[in-house]
Amino acid sequence: MVNLLAYIPVLNQRHLDWFKNYPEGHLHLISQKLAEAFVPRLSRNMVAIETEMVARMIRSEGLVQDISLFWPDHNDPACESIWWNSWVVANEDVSCLVAEKYLIPSGVGCRFQTIWARWDMSAVHREQPIMADVTVSQSVVDNQFVVLAERETVKSPDWWRQIGAVLIGPNGQVLAKAHNTHFPNEYETYIFGDPRLNVDAGEKGKYCSLHAERAVIALCASKGLSTRGASLYVSTFPCEDCAREIVFAGISKVFFRQGYSVLDAQEILRANSVTIVQIVTSEPA
């Protein structure tokens, strides 16, 4: 018997296709409570239904041989039972974190399978190579500023992608910090769904979010602070629309840590003499 491990707040067709490959499998569902213990921001997921209800839905359709909640501390704390020797884990954030804590240290066999679903963050953060000739910085100061941007990401109400930005003036002062959010309110996508889900990767479509890059520029405008010659630190490489506003605001440098699936922004920034700098972790002093 194969044990399946997954966090399923909402069933979708990709889950059903996965179950078809394991009709004799034992599905272990990660509860919402356990998922939130590993990833606290999931408590804001207003579309998630009760784990017990998900279990009843799967059981009623006979999609797998058996189904239960994943409680290693009660079932088999040391994972020593022969029934726990073979595991197939959904390759997404929560399931991987649970497997890393409870299964892998016990030496049981784990296979990770990518199932594109709402929680497959590897699909969200999959990067394309940035330009080969960008400047690379290991500066301690640059790392400190990009960490400020990364700290802003946790404030974002967007549970699909969190972005943080910090704008630094020519004299090294912090002009503004911001994260991406939604309008007309931050719960817009939870209530009505995210219109961006209706387009394929790389395509443009309607969205109701205010990007972090635009937010810091707007904050400076509201305070009467000049952005000309400033440096923008972002947790993720900016999009094409934000790149236009970065140029128009007179920002001279853009520092980033991670890439982005749509890189049209690089041409806009480059054509307007905006320096692009990728930050890598600096060596400890």
Side-chain angles (χ1 to χ4, degrees):
M1 180 179 66
V2 174
N3 292 292
L4 307 176
L5 178 67
Y7 169 55
I8 305 178
V10 179
L11 271 174
N12 64 44
Q13 187 60 47
R14 299 302 179 95
H15 293 126
L16 303 184
D17 293 340
W18 187 45
F19 299 148
K20 290 178 182 178
N21 296 324
Y22 302 96
E24 298 181 356
H26 182 153
L27 174 62
H28 298 260
L29 280 177
I30 298 170
S31 70
Q32 185 67 22
K33 182 178 180 180
L34 182 59
E36 291 175 11
F38 281 91
V39 185
R41 64 180 171 80
L42 293 180
S43 62
R44 299 179 296 192
N45 179 16
M46 298 174 65
V47 301
I49 61 178
E50 293 183 0
T51 311
E52 291 80 0
M53 182 177 292
V54 174
R56 289 197 297 270
M57 294 167 63
I58 297 173
R59 188 179 292 112
S60 67
E61 295 296 324
L63 299 172
V64 292
Q65 180 174 316
D66 197 10
I67 183 170
S68 63
L69 298 186
F70 183 76
W71 294 113
D73 294 334
H74 295 87
N75 296 343
D76 189 355
C79 298
E80 295 176 344
S81 169
I82 59 172
W83 302 109
W84 285 60
N85 287 338
S86 179
W87 288 84
V88 178
V89 181
N91 190 16
E92 47 79 27
D93 290 32
V94 178
S95 300
C96 290
L97 289 172
V98 171
E100 288 172 3
K101 179 173 181 179
Y102 294 107
L103 300 179
I104 295 176
S106 301
V108 300
C110 288
R111 286 184 294 134
F112 295 87
Q113 292 188 343
T114 298
I115 306 163
W116 194 94
R118 185 57 170 162
W119 303 101
D120 180 11
M121 296 304 289
S122 63
V124 179
H125 295 298
R126 189 172 293 121
E127 302 173 7
Q128 295 180 2
I130 308 298
M131 297 174 297
D133 58 347
V134 299
T135 303
V136 175
S137 172
Q138 285 186 305
S139 163
V140 173
V141 173
D142 287 339
N143 270 275
Q144 289 174 340
F145 282 142
V146 81
V147 166
L148 287 180
E150 290 168 343
R151 288 176 180 172
E152 282 293 308
T153 64
V154 300
K155 302 176 184 178
S156 171
D158 192 323
W159 44 277
W160 186 230
R161 183 189 288 274
Q162 296 79 40
I163 307 293
V166 176
L167 198 57
I168 305 299
N171 296 324
Q173 72 276 30
V174 177
L175 299 177
K177 297 185 292 183
H179 53 272
N180 62 318
T181 189
H182 303 135
F183 281 88
N185 63 72
E186 65 178 13
Y187 300 112
E188 187 73 9
T189 58
Y190 298 111
I191 300 171
F192 301 107
D194 190 346
R196 285 290 292 166
L197 295 183
N198 296 323
V199 298
D200 293 328
E203 292 184 351
K204 299 176 182 178
K206 177 184 176 182
Y207 58 88
C208 56
S209 63
L210 172 65
H211 290 193
E213 298 92 329
R214 294 180 178 180
V216 290
I217 293 172
L219 284 172
C220 286
S222 69
K223 299 175 182 178
L225 299 175
S226 174
T227 56
R228 187 157 301 280
S231 296
L232 178 66
Y233 290 79
V234 289
S235 57
T236 303
F237 197 74
C239 71
E240 181 181 3
D241 287 341
C242 287
R244 295 187 182 97
E245 297 198 22
I246 289 169
V247 170
F248 203 73
I251 294 171
S252 61
K253 294 182 180 180
V254 172
F255 295 79
F256 72 99
R257 178 88 79 185
Q258 300 177 5
Y260 184 45
S261 60
V262 181
L263 295 178
D264 295 334
Q266 64 186 25
E267 298 179 11
I268 296 172
L269 298 175
R270 194 180 208 175
N272 290 275
S273 302
V274 177
T275 303
I276 302 173
V277 183
Q278 183 168 12
I279 300 174
V280 296
T281 304
S282 58
E283 295 295 330

